[in-house]
Amino acid sequence: MRNAWRAWQELSGLLLPVACAGCGRPRTELCTACGAALHGAPARLVRPSPRPPGLPAVYAAAPYENAVRAVLLAHKERGALGLAGVLGRALAGCVRAGAGRPGDAGPLLLVPVPSARSSTAARGHDPVRRIAAAAARDLRRAGLPAQVLPLLRQRRAVADQSGLGARQRRANLAGALELTAGGGRLLRHGLSRLGRVILVDDLLTTGSTLAEAARAVGEAGGVGRESSVHGVCRAAVVAASPTAFEINRN
């Protein structure tokens, strides 16, 4: 049933009249101006305040506001699956920014932050994993070896975070993620030999989710929290809260 719903969503996007997901302009899924809001500036290093312990360096394409917010919500909540390509392109730019020097050894390993099973079932798709796959394709077209590795899963249920503050989100997510069985086997070979691990998500708000993901990957990979923060594991997101961009403002 879920596959049939997904197929209908994709087919309806081709056959029915569309409007820009960012501003509502007719006859285009994403207009030039809203596309520029996603891709028009280089990826930037962002940091929430307060910064949760263990948060790796995070790069984002755009502030989560106006057209960017509308586009992400259209893809995530309203099934506008055709937007995965443009969102993946934005994420790919952030992955490149956080990956280090072009000559660094090893492929780019994109590890998506997992969605709750109930959320995936309700939406009919996993938005972060879909965007990550599009980003990996974009990176490969540019000559960069990249693949998506869904290494993480939820260990336990977490509360809805929409009304929680930074401290409450940290408590809500503490210990919530773990490696899949296959992910554990891979990481026992050592992170440095596998490649450059980049955590990916669609959005950064308080940073609690990415910090928890970095903990799960770093601890299972046999590295300390400090090593995880400073290069074994970095992160890329499509968008971040506007205040997180203030790290680079003078």
Side-chain angles (χ1 to χ4, degrees):
M1 186 69 181
R2 185 175 63 184
N3 290 337
W5 169 242
R6 182 182 300 171
W8 164 247
Q9 287 177 310
E10 293 177 339
L11 181 62
S12 63
L14 295 174
L15 299 180
L16 300 179
V18 297
C20 174
C23 66
R25 182 176 298 178
R27 298 185 180 181
T28 178
E29 192 168 44
L30 187 68
C31 72
T32 302
C34 293
L38 273 171
H39 308 126
R44 301 242 323 255
L45 185 65
V46 294
R47 185 174 63 204
S49 181
R51 179 176 182 170
L55 181 69
V58 185
Y59 289 82
Y64 185 64
E65 58 187 0
N66 304 326
V68 172
R69 180 179 184 274
V71 170
L72 275 169
L73 288 176
H75 174 261
K76 187 173 188 174
E77 306 294 353
R78 296 197 295 278
L81 304 184
L83 294 169
V86 293
L87 293 170
R89 177 184 161 197
L91 183 63
C94 301
V95 170
R96 282 191 291 268
R101 298 181 300 275
D104 286 350
L108 296 171
L109 308 176
L110 311 189
V111 178
V113 170
S115 300
R117 290 183 181 179
S118 58
S119 297
T120 300
R123 293 172 180 141
H125 74 121
D126 186 329
V128 175
R129 192 164 173 177
R130 183 177 287 269
I131 295 171
R137 288 193 295 270
D138 190 274
L139 291 163
R140 289 194 296 269
R141 283 194 294 267
L144 296 172
Q147 61 179 306
V148 177
L149 289 182
L151 302 181
L152 294 170
R153 65 186 176 194
Q154 284 201 333
R155 174 186 293 168
R156 59 171 177 79
V158 297
D160 181 5
Q161 301 222 112
S162 57
L164 302 181
R167 182 177 298 178
Q168 293 170 314
R169 290 192 180 206
R170 289 198 299 273
N172 185 41
L173 288 164
L177 299 180
E178 65 180 1
L179 287 174
T180 63
R185 287 193 296 271
L186 280 173
L187 292 186
R188 278 196 293 272
H189 293 289
L191 286 173
S192 61
R193 290 193 295 273
L194 282 174
R196 289 168 284 169
V197 175
I198 311 288
L199 295 170
V200 295
D201 205 350
D202 57 350
L203 174 65
L204 176 139
T205 49
T206 67
S208 299
T209 303
L210 285 172
E212 169 60 14
R215 179 206 60 77
V217 170
E219 290 182 2
V223 297
R225 179 183 297 273
E226 198 66 19
S227 295
S228 177
V229 172
H230 292 295
V232 172
C233 179
R234 296 191 180 187
V237 298
V238 175
S241 60
T243 56
F245 278 81
E246 293 179 357
I247 180 176
N248 289 329
R249 291 180 185 172
N250 294 316

